[in-house]
């Protein structure tokens, strides 16, 4: 379990740190330009299934909680009014489907979870319900879903669907999740699947409920097409920290993903998340919050700094500007390199709201948000921090972030893959274990059990999905 517990004498134990590997079926995930490094496999090996199975083995060796795979549609085309920079610099382009490698990775691991990103804007909930139940079955309950609503105008144009206004997207997503809960939690009883050759009954139709959902955005008539998977509802992640995003997250998410270059930016956001979760009737500590974190590790400080300098030499500032321009919805190429960018410069809906809020922060640990600084900062590690140093130094930084921001863990980004992940497993994980803040070796269970403890494969009783369980929910 991840909650702190009293030690002998009443002293509280240190808060356990959960780690997820953070990757994407693309070249430049969050460290742009690093595909040019001879040890990086992002550019050449992602099309080879062995890249993914090897990565899964590395993370399993380090007892990572999960591999978290981001995803997106469309181009980062705000910078200079076109997508040329993103295409040329490999800024999350080209990109493959994150769901495809999951089963291969599951066959070479026993404990590692897998969380993929899928949008509620582009696929019918019935289709997603089938795919995700299948993946939860085939991974033995080690599957999670990062719920996104999709904000890029280029994505809506590519898919051929309108870009819905920000808050409305979350309203639609709320109904989307309610449909899924009806299918996952409420359609089949636990004993509906009988597989009984003596009686000749494979599935008892009297123990299956048809879902008759007729809402503003979705209409469904029929049962879930697949029998319940080990978790029924996959472990749910979400990443929005706008007011609408938080309201959605505290209702539906079990893990919330946040990003900022300073823990002091995150602390007030996470405080609001905890408070709002409590107001909805959930245990605020049951909502696990993960921040992006990119470590550059060395056995000595000199070795770590040498790696960092290599990364700086290869970093694509333009790739970072292309990424960030689309994130905040304004073309940074139109500003002088040393002009400070302010929240009031942003006037469009197609943007990441947390990035706009970050522009308001003026702490000593973050430089001014000018295009020159943005290009440098964002090009390595994206919107999160880059921690450079020995395992002891980086572990100190992580524990400081946990304390200041009230985090539960980190999505570990990479500079070079799989090298960054190998360094974390070989150097950082032993240090975190030595401090008593990391998972025991070989911890087993479903993804939800590895977060909440043995026996908690299904959603907690205080989660919204529990209202739709077969035993309690009636469509009428």
């Amino acid at each position: 379990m991840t909650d702190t517990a009293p030690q002998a004498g009443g002293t509280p134990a240190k808060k356990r740190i959960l780690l997820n590997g953070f990757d994407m079926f693309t070249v430049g995930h969050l460290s742009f330009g690093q595909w040019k490094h001879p040890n990086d496999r992002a550019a050449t090996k992602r099309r080879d299934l062995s890249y993914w199975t090897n990565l899964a083995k590395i993370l399993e060796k380090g007892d990572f909680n999960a591999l978290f795979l981001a995803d997106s549609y469309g181009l980062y085309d705000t910078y200079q009014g076109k997508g040329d920079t993103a295409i040329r610099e490999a800024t999350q382009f080209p990109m493959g489907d994150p769901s495809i490698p999951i089963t291969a990775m599951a066959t070479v691991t026993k404990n590692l979870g897998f969380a993929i990103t899928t949008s509620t804007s582009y696929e019918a909930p019935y289709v997603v319900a089938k795919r995700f139940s299948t993946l939860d079955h085939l991974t033995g309950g080690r599957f999670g879903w990062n719920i996104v609503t999709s904000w890029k105008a280029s994505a809506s144009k590519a898919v051929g669907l309108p870009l819905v206004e920000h808050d409305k997207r979350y309203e639609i997503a709320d109904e989307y999740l309610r449909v899924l809960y009806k299918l996952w939690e409420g359609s089949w009883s636990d004993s509906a699947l009988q597989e009984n050759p003596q009686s000749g009954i494979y599935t008892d139709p009297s123990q299956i409920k048809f879902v008759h959902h007729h809402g503003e955005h979705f209409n469904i008539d029929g049962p879930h097409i697949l029998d319940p998977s080990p978790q029924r509802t996959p472990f749910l992640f979400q990443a929005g920290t706008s007011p609408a995003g938080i309201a959605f997250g505290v209702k539906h998410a079990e893990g919330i993903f946040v990003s900022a270059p300073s823990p002091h930016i995150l602390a007030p956001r996470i405080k609001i998340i905890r408070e709002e979760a409590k107001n909805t009737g959930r245990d605020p500590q049951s909502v696990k919050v993960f921040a992006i974190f990119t470590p550059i590790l060395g056995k000595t400080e000199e070795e770590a700094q040498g790696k960092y300098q290599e990364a700086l030499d290869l970093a694509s500032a333009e790739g970072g500007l292309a990424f960030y321009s689309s994130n905040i919805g304004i073309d940074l190429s139109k500003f002088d390199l040393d002009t400070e960018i302010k929240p009031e410069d942003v006037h469009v809906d197609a943007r990441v709201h947390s990035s706009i809020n970050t522009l308001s922060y003026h702490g000593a640990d973050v430089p001014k948000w000018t295009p020159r600084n943005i290009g440098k900062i964002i090009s390595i590690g994206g919107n999160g921090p880059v921690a450079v140093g020995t395992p002891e130094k980086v572990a100190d930084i992580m524990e400081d972030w946990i304390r200041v921001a009230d985090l539960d863990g980190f999505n570990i980004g990479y500079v070079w893959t799989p090298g960054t992940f190998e360094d974390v497993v070989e150097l950082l994980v032993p240090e975190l274990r030595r401090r008593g803040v990391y998972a025991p070796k070989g911890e087993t269970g479903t993804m939800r059990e590895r977060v909440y403890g043995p026996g908690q494969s299904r959603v907690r009783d205080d989660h919204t999905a529990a209202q739709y369980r077969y035993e309690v929910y009636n469509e009428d």
Side-chain angles (χ1 to χ4, degrees), residues 238-239 241 256-260 266 269-270 273 289-292 407:
Q238 185 261 350
T241 54
I256 291 181
F257 171 45
V258 295
S259 60
L266 294 179
R269 296 181 194 171
I270 295 171
I273 289 169
V289 186
F290 299 83
I292 182 174
L407 289 166

Side-chain angles (χ1 to χ4, degrees), residues 82-223:
K82 54 187 179 181
D84 288 15
T85 298
I87 293 172
R88 183 180 61 252
E89 302 293 328
T91 304
Q92 296 188 4
F93 186 92
M95 187 179 301
D97 189 322
S99 67
I100 306 302
I102 297 298
T103 52
M105 291 190 286
T107 64
V108 299
T109 56
K110 294 181 179 179
N111 306 319
L112 181 69
F114 306 96
I116 65 171
T117 300
T118 297
S119 175
T120 57
S121 297
Y122 300 137
E123 292 188 274
Y126 182 85
V127 174
V128 167
K130 178 183 179 182
R131 182 188 309 134
F132 287 1
S133 288
T134 303
L135 286 169
D136 198 49
H137 271 300
L138 295 179
T139 60
R142 293 184 282 145
F143 181 67
W145 173 27
N146 176 37
I147 309 160
V148 297
T149 62
S150 295
W151 52 270
K152 277 193 286 188
S154 64
S156 70
K157 292 175 184 177
V159 175
L161 294 171
L163 180 63
V164 177
E165 184 273 329
H166 177 271
D167 287 9
K168 186 69 174 179
R169 294 200 300 271
Y170 279 111
E171 178 186 316
I172 294 170
D174 180 74
E175 184 181 341
Y176 196 107
L177 266 293
R178 286 189 284 117
V179 172
L180 289 174
Y181 296 150
K182 291 176 184 180
L183 292 166
W184 285 330
E185 298 289 335
S187 185
W188 291 58
S189 79
D190 285 337
S191 55
L193 187 69
Q194 299 194 0
E195 300 175 305
N196 189 328
Q198 283 73 39
S199 67
I201 298 175
Y202 191 84
T203 304
D204 182 354
S206 70
Q207 297 190 55
I208 290 183
K209 294 179 182 177
F210 278 55
V211 174
H212 297 289
H213 178 95
H214 299 281
E216 182 180 351
H217 308 288
F218 304 103
N219 290 282
I220 289 182
D221 288 284

